[in-house]
Amino acid sequence: MSVIGLTGCFSCGKSSVLRMLKNKGAYVFDCDEFIHACYKNKESPVYRKVAKEFPDVLERGRINRRKLGRLAFSDRRKLKALEAIVHPQAIKGLLSWVKKARKNKVLCVGEVPLLFEKKLDRYFDKIILVAVKRSVQIKRIREKYNFSRAE
């Protein structure tokens, strides 16, 4: 069966599309969910490196993702440092999933926000790009994350 890459911009609806496909029986991988699980696992390389690089985002031994996001998106160097921690692990998890997906008999869909930027498109048979009007995207971001327009 085909292995499909699902991508698109921040808050464009990728997760909603992935959820619909999963409900229809697709075998799915969600990069964001994978990394969120890494943030919660104190044994994961992501947790250990984030805790070391960004100690201010720890609260009662847990990574506060909102704090981490605000910190990283306010300073380009910190964002690059976070990406250097997160992206290799996300790619490793994704490629492991793709290997399993190739043996699966159902439709397989991996949600990969930076699919083209990280040159991961070669691992997929087809790509679905989810898009939305910029005004809708901004509204969703502001409502979901309580960001100001400038943020």
Side-chain angles (χ1 to χ4, degrees):
M1 187 56 86
S2 292
V3 180
I4 309 294
L6 178 68
T7 195
C9 292
F10 185 47
S11 288
C12 68
K14 296 181 304 293
S15 295
S16 296
V17 172
L18 189 70
R19 195 169 30 259
M20 286 187 273
L21 293 168
K22 183 178 181 178
N23 289 341
K24 293 288 186 183
Y27 175 56
V28 303
F29 180 83
D30 181 332
C31 269
D32 289 339
E33 190 176 286
F34 176 82
I35 290 301
H36 295 168
C38 291
Y39 285 152
K40 292 177 184 176
N41 178 359
K42 292 182 181 182
E43 302 303 313
S44 80
V46 169
Y47 180 94
R48 290 193 314 270
K49 290 175 183 177
V50 167
K52 183 178 178 184
E53 183 76 25
F54 305 100
D56 294 344
V57 304
L58 291 178
E59 289 182 358
R60 297 184 298 276
R62 299 182 81 173
I63 294 172
N64 180 320
R65 289 187 7 242
R66 186 171 292 268
K67 252 187 184 177
L68 180 61
R70 288 190 188 274
L71 182 67
F73 289 112
S74 68
D75 181 329
R76 196 144 190 71
R77 284 172 293 171
K78 290 178 181 173
L79 178 60
K80 291 290 183 198
L82 180 60
E83 289 173 345
I85 294 167
V86 171
H87 291 175
Q89 288 300 311
I91 292 168
K92 183 178 177 182
L94 173 68
L95 295 181
S96 174
W97 174 85
V98 167
K99 187 175 179 180
K100 291 176 196 166
R102 292 266 171 230
K103 299 173 187 168
N104 217 312
K105 300 285 187 234
V106 298
L107 179 67
C108 302
V109 182
E111 179 186 353
V112 188
L114 299 174
L115 189 142
F116 293 112
E117 294 84 346
K118 294 297 176 180
K119 298 181 181 15
L120 298 168
D121 51 305
R122 68 181 184 261
Y123 297 104
F124 297 94
D125 302 314
K126 304 271 184 207
I127 307 294
I128 297 172
L129 173 66
V130 180
V132 68
K133 289 182 180 180
R134 187 159 175 79
S135 60
V136 173
Q137 181 187 21
I138 290 169
K139 183 177 185 246
R140 287 177 181 173
I141 292 168
R142 292 189 69 197
E143 289 173 358
K144 183 175 182 180
Y145 301 102
N146 197 29
F147 283 174
S148 69
R149 184 147 179 87
E151 290 172 309

